[in-house]
């Protein structure tokens, strides 16, 4: 069997997605997610202009060899564009291998280690009553773990807080990218945030009691000492994790945070390779890895990462926003089911439009995700439906401080 063709499909059912479809000379197809929020067309071009022709004629069964070839032959390593492109190839080849074997991917990865994957959802509110309602809605939808994000008095729209309908007219719990030619500007004030957040968690704990797992995303906006202070202030409220408390590039920042707090730490949704995690895992500075299959080079390297992490009792907490397509979500659900050190899976349900283009076998029942038992990844792309949702430029917002300085968003 040989790879006959590799096609890139860009579609925007509620939001933009880039998908690679590899077809073999036997007519077997495999899908891979290459979506990089706000920079989608760069990955589409990388695949179309520099990868598709290299794949033609290759043996689709040689997944590791193809991964190494794409990673090393480019000479220019790592980075989100390159690693999202390689991820899509890796996922598509695993999809093909599963279909040829007539087995769901998790069986090829060693089989199920559990019956399902606990998911956490995104609750948020501009006021405390709104936040409490949002948590109740998520619990009613089955979630048994909840991320809590709150507006901050004196600031306008900020990361993680659902505002109203998206431009598309559909409402996600929270989807930060906005369609348009320019990124939205948000205001930020870390002092105001640090003064407000502990009181919100105190109120949420008072309302829901000690057992409900609560998570929080700092979205890279604190310095190490500010993050240490927040982690310490939140200890009485027993967080499942504090995510991305500092910008991710400096691994040593987490050492300072770790020295001051026992609040569990999760990081790495923007990481591309195991090297971004090397110090964090080896020196036991974190508890959960946030990498997503789509931005980490695919199933093959993410499996290596979690196997490395397992030696240090670090668990998975794969990134699962709406910008991971159902193809990427399916791939990481198969991996999550098969690894021993699964922690939790972030989950935002795909919109009706997204699900009409990507028909997926994975299920979300009673707060638990399962990849399903269809061969391969278990996702079908409806290409006719995809064409009816053409690409629309969209950007993530960015933040400025009160004096106009650009800040981490
Ligand atoms: O901002 O996926 O934990 N989830 C997140 C996400 C990211 C978006 C960026 O594309 O931080 O909402
Ligand atoms: Co995050």
């Amino acid at each position: 069997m040989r790879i006959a063709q590799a096609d890139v499909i860009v579609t925007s059912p509620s939001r933009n997605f880039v998908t690679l479809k590899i077809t073999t000379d036997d007519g077997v197809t495999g899908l891979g997610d290459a979506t990089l929020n706000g920079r989608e067309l760069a990955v589409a071009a990388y695949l179309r202009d520099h990868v598709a022709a290299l794949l033609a004629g290759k043996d689709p069964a040689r997944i590791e060899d193809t991964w190494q070839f794409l990673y090393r032959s480019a000479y220019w390593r790592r980075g989100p564009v390159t690693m999202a492109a390689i991820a899509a190839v890796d996922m598509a080849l695993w999809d093909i291998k599963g279909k040829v074997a007539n087995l769901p991917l998790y069986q090829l990865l060693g089989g199920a280690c559990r019956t399902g994957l606990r998911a956490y959802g995104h609750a948020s509110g501009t006021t405390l009553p709104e936040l409490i309602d949002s948590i109740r809605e998520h619990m009613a939808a089955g979630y048994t773990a909840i991320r809590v994000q709150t507006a901050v008095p004196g600031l306008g729209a900020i990361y993680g807080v659902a505002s109203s309908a998206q431009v598309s007219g559909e409402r996600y719990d929270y989807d930060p990218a906005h369609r348009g030619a320019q990124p939205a500007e948000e205001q930020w004030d870390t002092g105001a945030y640090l003064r407000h957040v502990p009181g919100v968690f105190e109120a949420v704990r008072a309302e829901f009691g000690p057992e409900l797992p609560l998570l929080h995303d700092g979205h890279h906006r604190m310095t190490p000492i500010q993050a240490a202070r927040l982690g310490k202030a939140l200890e009485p409220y027993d967080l499942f994790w504090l995510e991305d408390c500092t910008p991710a590039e400096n691994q040593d920042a987490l050492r300072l945070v770790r020295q001051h707090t026992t609040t569990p730490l999760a990081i790495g949704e923007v990481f591309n390779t195991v090297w971004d995690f090397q110090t964090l895992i080896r020196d036991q500075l974190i508890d959960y890895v946030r990498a997503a299959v789509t931005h980490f080079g695919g199933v093959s390297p993410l499996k290596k990462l979690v196997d490395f992490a397992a030696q240090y009792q670090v668990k998975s907490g794969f990134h699962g926003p709406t910008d991971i397509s159902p193809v990427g979500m399916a791939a990481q659900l198969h991996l999550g089911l098969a690894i021993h050190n699964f922690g939790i899976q972030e989950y935002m349900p795909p919109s009706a439009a997204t699900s009409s283009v990507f028909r997926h076998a994975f299920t979300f029942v009673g707060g638990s995700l399962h990849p399903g038992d269809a061969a391969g990844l278990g996702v079908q792309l409806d290409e006719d439906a995809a064409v009816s949702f053409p690409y629309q430029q969209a950007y993530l917002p960015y933040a400025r401080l009160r004096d106009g300085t650009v800040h981490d968003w």
Side-chain angles (χ1 to χ4, degrees):
M1 194 188 267
R2 296 281 146 189
I3 294 173
Q5 211 174 312
D7 298 296
V8 179
I9 295 111
V10 180
T11 178
S12 195
S14 302
R15 58 160 12 276
N16 294 320
F17 293 110
V18 177
T19 309
L20 180 70
K21 181 178 120 183
I22 295 181
T23 307
T24 71
D25 53 6
D26 284 7
V28 182
T29 58
L31 298 176
D33 178 24
T35 307
L36 185 62
N37 208 0
R39 295 292 186 273
E40 297 88 357
L41 299 186
V43 190
Y46 190 110
L47 285 167
R48 247 182 218 138
D49 299 342
H50 300 291
V51 172
L54 304 183
L55 295 176
K58 282 196 175 299
D59 178 354
R62 298 182 64 185
I63 302 175
E64 181 68 18
D65 182 71
T66 303
W67 194 96
Q68 298 296 342
F69 164 71
L70 291 175
Y71 184 76
R72 292 172 201 284
S73 72
Y75 185 67
W76 310 106
R77 294 185 186 186
R78 309 166 63 179
V81 174
T82 296
M83 298 313 287
I86 297 177
V89 176
D90 183 83
M91 270 179 252
L93 294 182
W94 278 111
D95 195 17
I96 289 170
K97 195 180 280 295
K99 287 178 181 175
V100 169
N102 196 25
L103 288 170
L105 174 57
Y106 75 82
Q107 293 291 9
L108 303 182
L109 298 174
C113 271
R114 57 195 52 78
T115 53
L117 306 177
R118 175 189 252 180
Y120 74 89
H122 289 188
S124 70
T126 50
T127 63
L128 190 57
E130 208 182 286
L131 172 60
I132 286 172
D133 282 352
S134 173
I135 295 172
R136 283 197 202 293
E137 281 168 26
H138 280 80
M139 291 172 76
Y143 288 99
T144 60
I146 314 263
R147 190 184 84 162
V148 171
Q149 303 295 129
T150 171
V152 173
L155 298 181
I158 59 167
Y159 171 76
V161 182
S163 46
S164 54
Q166 297 293 305
V167 183
S168 65
E170 285 168 307
R171 181 182 160 137
Y172 280 148
D173 290 327
Y174 187 73
D175 189 356
H178 296 282
R179 287 169 170 169
Q182 293 285 331
E185 186 179 306
E186 295 181 353
Q187 211 184 29
W188 184 247
D189 177 340
T190 309
Y193 166 78
L194 291 176
R195 286 190 295 277
H196 186 62
V197 168
V200 170
F201 274 90
E202 184 183 16
V204 169
R205 271 286 170 237
E207 181 74 23
F208 293 96
E211 282 173 26
L212 179 66
L214 300 174
L215 302 84
H216 181 67
D217 191 346
H219 223 252
H220 328 274
R221 290 168 300 193
M222 285 168 274
T223 64
I225 202 69
Q226 289 169 334
R229 216 176 98 203
L230 181 65
K232 210 165 162 176
L234 293 177
E235 279 172 22
Y237 316 117
D238 188 24
L239 263 60
F240 185 95
W241 78 34
L242 174 61
E243 170 185 349
D244 287 342
C245 60
T246 65
E249 295 94 325
N250 178 11
Q251 296 187 38
D252 276 319
L254 275 292
R255 199 182 306 282
L256 193 144
V257 181
R258 195 68 149 176
Q259 279 162 4
H260 290 282
T261 182
T262 57
T263 293
L265 302 173
I267 204 161
E269 66 188 39
V270 302
F271 291 2
N272 308 131
T273 74
V274 67
W275 304 107
D276 300 322
F277 282 107
Q278 184 183 26
T279 304
L280 295 174
I281 292 174
R282 188 195 54 208
D283 294 357
Q284 303 183 88
L285 305 181
I286 56 169
D287 301 281
Y288 297 91
V289 294
R290 292 283 293 139
V293 70
T294 306
H295 304 127
F296 204 76
V299 174
S300 305
L302 194 54
K303 170 84 162 71
K304 294 174 192 176
L305 175 74
V306 288
D307 288 345
F308 171 49
Q311 312 313 313
Y312 300 88
Q313 292 172 280
V314 173
K315 294 185 176 183
S316 73
F318 302 147
H319 193 207
T322 43
D323 45 292
I324 301 296
S325 88
V327 176
M329 180 57 69
Q332 58 192 23
L333 295 181
H334 284 281
L335 182 59
L337 198 68
I339 57 177
H340 179 245
N341 56 329
F342 171 79
I344 200 164
Q345 176 62 57
E346 183 180 31
Y347 184 58
M348 298 175 77
S351 74
T354 299
S355 296
S356 76
V357 172
F358 299 95
R359 306 225 182 89
H360 52 82
F362 68 75
T363 53
F364 175 63
V365 180
S368 182
L369 288 154
H370 193 284
D373 281 298
L377 297 179
V379 182
Q380 284 180 2
L381 177 67
D382 183 331
E383 291 186 58
D384 294 331
V387 172
S388 65
F389 297 104
Y391 167 80
Q392 293 187 42
Q393 187 143 44
Y395 286 106
L396 289 165
Y398 79 109
R400 288 188 188 273
L401 304 179
R402 291 185 197 277
D403 71 355
T405 308
V406 173
H407 191 67
D408 298 290
W409 172 73

